[in-house]
Amino acid sequence: MEWGPRTCLSYWGAVLTLCRWLSIQATPSDAAMTRLWRARVDAAPTWDHEDPSQLLSPAEISILEAAALGRQHCTAVRAAWVACLLGQHLGDVLRLCVSEFYIFPEALAITFLEGKTTRTRGPYTLHVPLNSRLGQAMWYDARVAAAHRQEYIYLSTVQGQAQSVIHAEREVHLRMPFALDLRSLRRTGLSRLAQSGTPLEVLLN
């Protein structure tokens, strides 16, 4: 599989962000590489000229969280908030099934079996503290989905899975009062995790 210039720029930006948080000194060649990929992005034909290397601002994260945790919250927006905090692809979070959630005394274990990341590295499990706002929200969402006999927690598959994911992603765009590049959700989450001291091997695996 050959990555496009936007994907390469996005991952290169993630690497540079991790280096900054780890106090790794940048070099002139790093800047040259950034200019090279930006030039290739500008030259690539596309309908989307948003910058995939842009992180969400604290204000935008607050807006996303408020929309996700509101009483009348949209399920797709809730999934976007989860993706941002976990540093995951939105599509991967949308494909989470009720059966992939396991409750432990102090943590919620979420096993990712479907999605973009699992296609390249296989299934993996993340642990979220149960007493955290994220852990409480996700456990609540899983219980609601189970009570309604839904297979997926954040996705209605009436239109089929692939079409439902596209619909949910469009819904997130419509609900946010700012221009949101969905790819920035994962990068923002990874940057925040790096800032909190999460080990590099955890972020890159």
Side-chain angles (χ1 to χ4, degrees):
M1 179 182 66
E2 182 177 353
W3 288 349
R6 284 173 184 77
T7 301
C8 291
L9 177 59
S10 178
Y11 279 105
W12 176 243
V15 170
L16 293 180
T17 299
L18 290 174
C19 288
R20 285 197 296 271
W21 288 122
L22 294 171
S23 300
I24 298 176
Q25 187 66 37
T27 66
S29 61
D30 293 336
M33 182 65 71
T34 300
R35 290 193 298 271
L36 171 64
W37 283 116
R38 286 191 180 279
R40 292 184 178 180
V41 166
D42 292 340
T46 182
W47 58 270
D48 180 7
H49 292 285
E50 293 176 338
D51 184 358
S53 67
Q54 182 66 45
L55 299 179
L56 296 184
S57 69
E60 290 170 339
I61 294 174
S62 296
I63 292 172
L64 175 62
E65 182 171 290
L69 299 179
R71 181 174 297 179
Q72 302 296 327
H73 72 269
C74 166
T75 303
V77 172
R78 180 89 138 209
W81 174 69
V82 170
C84 183
L85 265 61
L86 291 179
Q88 301 297 305
H89 296 289
L90 175 56
D92 293 0
V93 172
L94 288 169
R95 292 178 174 87
L96 282 173
C97 296
V98 175
S99 60
E100 295 164 4
F101 276 55
Y102 304 91
I103 186 73
F104 292 99
E106 297 183 354
L108 182 65
I110 306 117
T111 299
F112 287 77
L113 298 177
E114 297 184 70
K116 182 176 181 179
T117 305
T118 59
R119 287 196 293 271
T120 57
R121 58 158 294 176
Y124 59 99
T125 300
L126 299 179
H127 294 83
V128 179
L130 196 56
N131 62 355
S132 66
R133 180 177 298 182
L134 177 61
Q136 289 291 312
M138 295 188 74
W139 181 231
Y140 171 83
D141 295 339
R143 285 184 288 137
V144 169
H148 288 83
R149 299 176 181 270
Q150 297 173 196
E151 178 182 5
Y152 295 95
I153 297 173
Y154 300 109
L155 192 66
S156 169
T157 54
V158 175
Q159 300 172 307
Q161 188 202 75
Q163 194 63 32
S164 295
V165 169
I166 294 174
H167 177 79
E169 292 177 340
R170 185 182 301 119
E171 187 73 11
V172 174
H173 277 296
L174 293 174
R175 298 270 182 165
M176 289 295 97
F178 57 88
L180 172 63
D181 186 332
L182 297 181
R183 293 166 292 186
S184 67
L185 294 170
R186 175 175 167 82
R187 290 202 64 252
T188 299
L190 290 175
S191 296
R192 286 163 62 91
L193 288 171
Q195 184 180 11
S196 70
T198 302
L200 181 61
E201 60 270 18
V202 174
L203 297 174
L204 299 181
N205 284 340

